[in-house]
Amino acid sequence: MTNLNLTQQEKEKLSSGHPLFWLNPAYQNAHAAPDTPDVAGIYEAEARLARFAPLLIDLFPELKDTGGLIESPLLPTDALNKEINPIGGRLFLKADHALPVAGSIKARGGIHEVLCFAEQLALKEGLIAGPDDDYRKLGSDESRTLFAQHTIAVGSTGNLGLSIGIMGAALGFNAVVHMSSDAKEWKKERLRKRGVKVVEHTADYGAAVAAGRAESDADPHSYFVDDENSPRLFMGYAVAALRLKTQLDAAGIEVSPEQPLIVYLPAGVGGAPGGITFGLKALFGDNVHCFFAEPVQAPCMLLGMAGEAGQEPVPIYELGLQIDTDADGLAVGTASQWVCDAVRHQVSGVYTATDDELYQHLFSLKNLENVEVEPSAAISCCGPAMLNTGPGRQYLEAQNIANSLKNGVHVAWLTGGSFVPDKEYQRYLEKAIKISN
Ligand SMILES: *Cc1c(COP(=O)(O)O)cnc(C)c1O
């Protein structure tokens, strides 16, 4: 096996499916990241989303109130904070489970990448004259006729497929989504209803991506959204940091050494949490602390970050794990090497949690805050308690923030759920109640 920054005991915990809190030894070590992406990319993505906003209102009337921006609220908590946060400070929920259009965190990155491709084509074909033109022209029959000659393809465990498929189809593209075996039936149904072609695979996410990539590469009119290697997705996700800063400002919260920001991000292949971390680090530097969260059965980012810069991430199968989890949004066997290298010195650590823990938090979110999420999202709520463990305390001391925790601002990033059909959610909730009692 490749060199891993893990002790024998940590490896054994991972292999046996026990929760682990791993601190990243490369944190704050700029040498650990060979080529960090350019921060300017975040602002370019933000500007692109703003250019498209008027068109998005035409395509999705639910975006009228936000002026065409796809954004979610930052929700304060009280009861939940008391229940799940033993270390002090306030707890907020970043409600991306309720992001309009796609219903998950994939809305930002996925939609941004589709818009990048549409813009590139439109400029090349002269449908728009430049970035100052009226982008509503891209909803015209002429534009749709052009877009219909092109395919946008993606491989997904479900939510990225929804994001790419919904946006691609809305613009008139021929959209093809390759779904892994973990993908839920309702997600496939929802896409088919929108005219998206769904290709079902009996293997894992990595295999669905590989098959999608191969099919798309064979067709010169097909564009592949490569979740394992995509700066466009990454920068779209990173825009969330700018939006979060606006929301913190509005709440009168200034992030500082006396008031640290601690963020818990569910991680699959790494793009969404990586992009957000990259954005938050650009804004808040050492005063923001980003922890990734993964199911005990799919700790692919942990293995990727514990590996070495410029090396392929170790697949979870090498530890004898099988991605056996209900957190379908996090059901990934191998992390994105590109993302691991991009944020290798920015991620504070990675923790893992059992499905039972996810369900307990899914229940608490519903019971205490009336928030309905899918299991993947609930893993973010394990974060504050992890900081109260040995490695957590060690981190807080090392970063000199143990004493400012009473002013700390914790953000649990809720990544998906509002599109889950009620019947499906009730099933989650029943399981959650059984486990919690
Ligand atoms: C995709 C997804 C994530 C993680 O994003 P990655 O880019 O795969 O790391 C987290 N939660 C949900 C619900 C998701 O769909």
Side-chain angles (χ1 to χ4, degrees), residues 96-97 103-106 156-160 187 205 227 233 237 265-275 292-294 300-301 327-332 336 339 374-379 413-417:
D96 275 7
H97 66 291
S104 84
I105 192 166
K106 300 296 191 311
S156 173
T157 65
N159 286 337
L160 184 64
K187 293 183 181 175
Y205 157 87
D227 198 12
L233 279 176
Y237 289 130
L265 296 154
V269 72
F292 287 7
E294 298 187 298
C300 65
M301 271 307 284
D328 51 315
L330 315 179
V332 176
S336 158
V339 173
E374 56 184 273
S376 298
I379 200 168
W413 214 287
L414 300 181
T415 47

Side-chain angles (χ1 to χ4, degrees), residues 207-232:
V209 171
R213 191 189 285 128
E215 190 182 298
S216 182
D217 286 354
D219 175 356
H221 288 287
S222 182
Y223 176 87
F224 186 65
V225 176
D226 193 341
D227 198 12
E228 291 172 343
N229 282 295
S230 173
R232 289 175 160 184

Side-chain angles (χ1 to χ4, degrees), residues 64-243:
K64 210 166 160 204
D65 289 349
T66 56
L69 292 193
I70 297 171
E71 203 31 79
S72 74
L74 181 68
L75 307 171
T77 67
D78 184 25
L80 186 69
N81 191 25
K82 291 196 180 101
E83 172 149 315
I84 70 166
N85 175 10
I87 63 167
R90 281 181 279 177
L91 171 70
F92 291 84
L93 302 172
K94 181 59 180 150
D96 275 7
H97 66 291
L99 272 181
V101 181
S104 84
I105 192 166
K106 300 296 191 311
R108 289 201 196 80
I111 287 170
H112 176 251
E113 179 144 7
V114 172
L115 298 183
C116 280
F117 179 58
E119 183 177 50
Q120 191 184 330
L121 267 181
L123 286 169
K124 186 168 143 234
E125 302 289 335
L127 293 171
I128 44 173
D132 296 328
D133 206 342
D134 181 355
Y135 275 48
R136 281 177 299 187
K137 288 180 186 168
L138 303 185
S140 67
D141 288 344
E142 191 196 354
S143 301
R144 299 184 70 82
T145 305
L146 172 77
F147 292 152
Q149 295 163 12
H150 294 266
T151 295
I152 295 188
V154 69
S156 173
T157 65
N159 286 337
L160 184 64
L162 279 178
S163 166
I164 302 290
I166 289 170
M167 194 64 219
L171 285 168
F173 285 104
N174 177 23
V176 180
V177 175
H178 292 260
M179 289 288 204
S180 71
S181 55
D182 315 277
K184 296 278 180 268
E185 205 48 48
W186 66 264
K187 293 183 181 175
K188 301 177 196 169
E189 260 324 289
R190 198 169 173 120
L191 282 172
R192 289 193 186 106
K193 278 203 187 109
R194 296 219 172 214
V196 174
K197 184 178 164 198
V198 176
V199 184
E200 301 184 83
H201 294 271
T202 49
D204 75 356
Y205 157 87
V209 171
R213 191 189 285 128
E215 190 182 298
S216 182
D217 286 354
D219 175 356
H221 288 287
S222 182
Y223 176 87
F224 186 65
V225 176
D226 193 341
D227 198 12
E228 291 172 343
N229 282 295
S230 173
R232 289 175 160 184
L233 279 176
F234 186 85
M235 291 303 175
Y237 289 130
V239 170
L242 306 178
R243 308 267 175 86

